[in-house]
């Protein structure tokens, strides 16, 4: 990987993780690691262009059908692809189909860009991660194999102790906080060969006393009411949080977006 490269364009493909939930800005929109990364890259390359095709809730089949060809036609210097994790969280998940679709996506994107970036997604420590860990690790094994075959960069967020800490996650327990997104942007930034701005992004957070029993129960009740029950409702009715939403940034155009 070259040092301090001069990439001139970035296209981000994926779901809510790449859209930027839950890194909320004052105007009610989401920023996220991809916007932060684009802002840094733009500072190094005048006229830098950026598109973000991600839409929350998308499964890997939807990403392949709706985003891959669009991204490939853009011929960006760098393309990031993160998908499949939503599939692994579904009660009925055909991992063979997930692997096949991810393979199709990589085979179509890799020839269209100078550098394809894949990720081993972060996982919040807790019972949900333990339940779905085997599927996640099967997905990551597929990602590693595809990267080796097609010359893609793999950014290992799953192996970063800091990003497993529940304090790096939003109250919905599904999406990273603003600080979590900042660390992901740093991880990709360094992976692309830029000089580190935070050499400690992987470092675990300092230990703090855990919240008391009452505080945990209040947080659990809030989580169930505001996030878990609506999520279950969408699964039962076949709906998605991204239904009807357009891509975050559909055009590959000059970027002067929000900085850190």
């Amino acid at each position: 990987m070259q040092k301090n490269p001069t990439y001139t364009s970035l296209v981000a493909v994926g779901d809510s993780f790449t859209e930027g939930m839950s890194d909320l800005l004052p105007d009610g929109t989401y920023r996220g690691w991809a916007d932060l990364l684009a802002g840094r890259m733009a500072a190094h390359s005048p006229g830098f262009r950026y598109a973000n095709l991600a839409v929350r809730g998308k499964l890997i089949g939807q990403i392949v059908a709706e985003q891959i060809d669009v991204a490939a036609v853009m011929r960006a210097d760098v393309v990031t692809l993160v998908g499949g994790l939503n599939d692994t969280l579904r009660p009925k998940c055909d991992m063979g189909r997930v692997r096949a679709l991810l393979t199709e996506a990589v085979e179509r994107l890799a020839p269209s860009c100078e550098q394809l970036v894949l990720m081993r997604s972060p996982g919040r420590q807790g019972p949900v991660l333990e339940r779905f860990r085997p599927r996640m690790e099967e997905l990551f094994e597929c990602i590693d194999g595809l990267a080796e075959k097609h010359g893609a960069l793999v950014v290992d967020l799953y192996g970063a102790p800091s990003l497993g800490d529940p304090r790096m996650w939003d109250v919905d327990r599904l999406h990273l906080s603003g600080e979590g997104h900042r660390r992901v942007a740093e991880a990709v930034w360094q992976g692309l060969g830029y000089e580190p701005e935070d050499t400690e992004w992987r470092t675990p957070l300092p230990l703090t006393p855990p919240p008391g029993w009452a505080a945990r129960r209040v947080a659990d009740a809030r989580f169930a009411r505001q996030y878990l029950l609506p999520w279950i409702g969408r699964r039962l009715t076949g709906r998605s949080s991204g239904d009807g939403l357009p891509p975050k940034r559909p055009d590959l155009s000059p970027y002067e977006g929000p900085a850190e």
Side-chain angles (χ1 to χ4, degrees), residues 1-242:
M1 186 68 62
Q2 67 184 98
K3 291 297 182 181
N4 292 316
T6 55
Y7 295 121
T8 62
S9 53
L10 167 69
V11 173
V13 172
D15 50 34
S16 60
F17 174 70
T18 300
E19 184 184 345
M21 297 173 73
S22 292
D23 185 13
L24 194 64
L25 294 171
D27 65 359
T29 61
Y30 293 109
R31 180 174 56 177
W33 67 265
D35 283 12
L36 290 169
L37 177 65
R40 289 191 185 187
M41 295 173 74
H44 282 248
S45 180
F48 183 85
R49 296 177 300 150
Y50 170 54
N52 190 325
L53 306 179
V55 178
R56 69 196 70 172
K58 294 298 182 181
L59 303 173
I60 186 62
Q62 294 170 307
I63 291 172
V64 170
E66 300 167 12
Q67 301 179 30
I68 299 303
D69 282 345
V70 177
V73 168
M74 290 179 175
R75 310 292 297 185
D77 288 351
V78 178
V79 175
T80 66
L81 167 62
V82 187
L85 198 63
N86 282 337
D87 298 77
T88 69
L89 299 178
R90 297 295 177 100
K92 296 180 179 179
C93 173
D94 182 347
M95 286 303 298
R97 181 173 182 272
V98 171
R99 292 194 306 271
L101 287 166
L102 187 61
T103 299
E104 179 183 348
V106 170
E107 289 177 345
R108 287 157 66 180
L109 285 177
S112 75
C113 62
E114 183 177 338
Q115 182 62 66
L116 177 63
V117 179
L118 307 175
M119 297 187 201
R120 294 162 60 93
S121 302
R124 182 185 186 274
Q125 296 298 328
V128 173
L129 175 63
E130 294 309 313
R131 178 180 178 183
F132 295 103
R133 188 187 294 275
R135 288 181 184 175
M136 291 173 63
E137 294 187 347
E138 183 178 347
L139 177 68
F140 298 155
E141 183 178 353
C142 177
I143 287 170
D144 289 344
L146 289 170
E148 182 176 359
K149 182 177 180 180
H150 295 279
L153 166 68
V154 177
V155 179
D156 185 12
L157 307 172
Y158 180 69
S162 64
L163 293 177
D165 192 312
R167 290 172 291 176
M168 283 288 176
W169 295 72
D170 188 56
V171 294
D172 68 0
R173 305 181 184 180
L174 285 174
H175 301 104
L176 290 170
S177 66
E179 174 60 16
H181 279 283
R182 186 196 67 79
R183 294 190 184 218
V184 172
E186 179 67 34
V188 184
W189 172 261
Q190 292 184 26
L192 288 171
Y194 294 98
E195 289 294 331
E197 296 187 11
D198 176 9
T199 59
E200 303 296 323
W201 72 268
R202 297 173 58 92
T203 302
L205 298 180
L207 293 177
T208 58
W213 182 89
R216 294 198 304 271
R217 297 295 77 77
V218 169
D220 288 345
R222 178 188 177 194
F223 163 71
R225 182 178 65 255
Q226 295 186 7
Y227 302 104
L228 180 59
L229 292 177
W231 184 85
I232 292 173
R234 290 194 298 271
R235 297 292 80 77
L236 293 175
T237 57
R239 294 178 293 115
S240 167
S241 58

